[in-house]
């Protein structure tokens, strides 16, 4: 079940394609510079009472203080803000128009028939290990196939390579060898957490790497879906497996 209405889910998934990890000043505190404080639903039913949109006064506020020139302190209430430089956030205007059109077109491609958007939104809506795992799952939803695992239908190409190895090759082909190397480390970390490792904190650098790879992978699929009509997701991923294998260590 979606966390938000369908239109909000789509908008959030689209916003997750922006490089927030590069824009925020303190990623160890918060990786994104926005929240979804409320959702206002408009009904076109004439018999439904129209509700007024929430006011800005319903947003989060915090206590702060001001030191006067004489050294005295005055407390006041201000809206809670997230740390990001204005010049960086202005780049968000680039994520309008053609980028949104490309995203909308890609959503109806076979490359997005898996729950990529769901896990992107999950990575935004959660923290720590949950956000890390959501980003890793978004990558697997984007590039994984049932045939990567034995006994799960027709095997993907090449059949003797492990699922993790194939994922790494696809990332190398679509995004780059450096990201494929980072994914190998993160995939082993993710597997350790899911298969018996004692829980401990995920470092900020590892969370950022997982977030960045997920963003770049989704961006690569959006570009691919807009360059050509792709009718066979399996063939598309198999081709990138073969193209990526020479780019990663044997």
């Amino acid at each position: 079940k979606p966390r938000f209405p369908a239109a909000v889910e789509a908008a959030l998934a689209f916003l997750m394609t922006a490089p927030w990890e590069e824009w925020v000043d303190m990623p160890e505190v918060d990786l994104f510079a926005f929240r979804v404080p409320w959702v206002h639903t408009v009904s076109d039913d004439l018999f439904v009472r129209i509700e007024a949109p929430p006011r800005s006064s319903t947003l989060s506020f915090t206590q702060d203080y001001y030191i006067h020139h004489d050294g005295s302190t005055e407390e006041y209430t201000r809206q809670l803000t997230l740390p990001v430089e204005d010049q960086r956030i202005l780049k968000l205007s680039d994520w309008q128009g053609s980028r949104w059109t490309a995203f909308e077109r890609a959503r109806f491609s076979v490359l997005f028939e898996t729950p990529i958007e769901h896990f992107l939104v999950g990575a935004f809506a959660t923290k720590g290990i949950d956000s890390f795992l959501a980003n890793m799952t978004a990558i697997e939803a984007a590039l994984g196939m049932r045939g990567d695992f034995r006994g799960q239908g027709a095997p993907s190409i090449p059949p003797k390579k492990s699922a993790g190895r194939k994922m790494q090759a696809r990332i190398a082909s679509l995004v780059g060898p450096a990201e494929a190397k980072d994914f190998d480390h993160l995939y082993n970390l993710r597997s350790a957490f899911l298969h018996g490792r004692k829980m401990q904190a995920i470092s900020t650098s590892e969370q950022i790497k997982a977030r960045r790879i997920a963003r770049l992978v989704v961006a690569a699929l959006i570009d691919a879906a807009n360059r050509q009509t792709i009718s066979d997701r399996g063939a598309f991923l198999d081709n990138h497996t073969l193209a990526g294998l020479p780019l990663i260590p044997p």
Side-chain angles (χ1 to χ4, degrees):
K1 183 179 179 180
R3 296 171 182 266
F4 303 99
V8 179
E9 288 263 320
L12 288 175
F14 171 66
L15 285 173
M16 289 300 96
T17 65
W20 295 100
E21 70 278 5
E22 299 175 5
W23 291 350
V24 295
D25 293 333
M26 295 184 289
E28 67 278 4
V29 176
D30 198 295
L31 198 55
F32 306 107
F34 70 97
R35 291 284 185 273
V36 182
W38 36 255
V39 175
H40 179 65
T41 303
V42 178
S43 174
D44 57 2
D45 189 336
L46 296 177
F47 297 96
V48 173
R49 181 184 178 89
I50 299 177
E51 300 289 341
R55 297 173 299 180
S56 61
S57 59
T58 63
L59 298 176
S60 298
F61 284 79
T62 185
Q63 293 295 121
D64 209 335
Y65 64 91
Y66 173 76
I67 301 177
H68 293 278
H69 66 278
D70 59 0
S72 61
T73 301
E74 178 182 344
E75 289 191 0
Y76 68 98
T77 301
R78 65 171 177 84
Q79 288 188 352
L80 184 64
T81 57
L82 298 171
V84 62
E85 292 183 6
D86 290 341
Q87 291 182 348
R88 294 178 185 176
I89 202 64
L90 285 175
K91 295 180 180 179
L92 188 60
S93 61
D94 296 338
W95 260 252
Q96 301 179 44
S98 61
R99 286 183 183 267
W100 171 253
T101 302
F103 174 75
E104 284 247 278
R105 186 180 297 116
R107 293 180 70 212
F108 296 99
S109 164
V110 294
L111 297 182
F112 280 77
E113 64 185 9
T114 54
I116 299 171
E117 292 184 26
H118 174 79
F119 291 111
L120 282 180
V121 175
F124 162 77
T126 54
K127 298 285 186 181
I129 181 65
D130 295 316
S131 181
F132 169 79
L133 291 176
N135 274 316
M136 293 299 294
T137 310
I139 298 169
E140 293 189 68
L143 300 182
M145 290 192 290
R146 291 185 62 191
D148 292 342
F149 302 92
R150 294 180 182 177
Q152 296 291 319
S156 56
I157 298 174
K160 294 184 178 181
K161 295 293 184 181
S162 67
R165 188 76 172 163
K166 292 176 184 179
M167 290 283 294
Q168 193 180 1
R170 292 163 194 158
I171 292 172
S173 176
L174 285 164
V175 180
E179 287 73 18
K181 182 179 179 180
D182 285 340
F183 174 79
D184 185 45
H185 165 72
L186 297 173
Y187 186 78
N188 291 331
L189 181 63
R190 164 257 183 211
S191 298
F193 271 106
L194 294 181
H195 302 294
R197 178 175 171 174
K198 183 179 179 180
M199 291 292 290
Q200 65 184 50
I202 293 288
S203 71
T204 299
S205 64
E206 288 166 333
Q207 291 193 55
I208 290 176
K209 285 178 181 178
R211 150 70 189 158
R212 181 173 180 273
I213 295 172
R215 173 176 64 81
L216 292 175
V217 164
V218 172
L221 294 189
I222 292 173
D223 289 342
N226 279 269
R227 282 196 307 268
Q228 58 184 310
T229 300
I230 299 170
S231 58
D232 190 331
R233 178 176 180 269
F236 172 85
L237 294 178
D238 280 341
N239 288 337
H240 280 287
T241 304
L242 296 176
L245 282 173
L247 304 177
I248 59 178

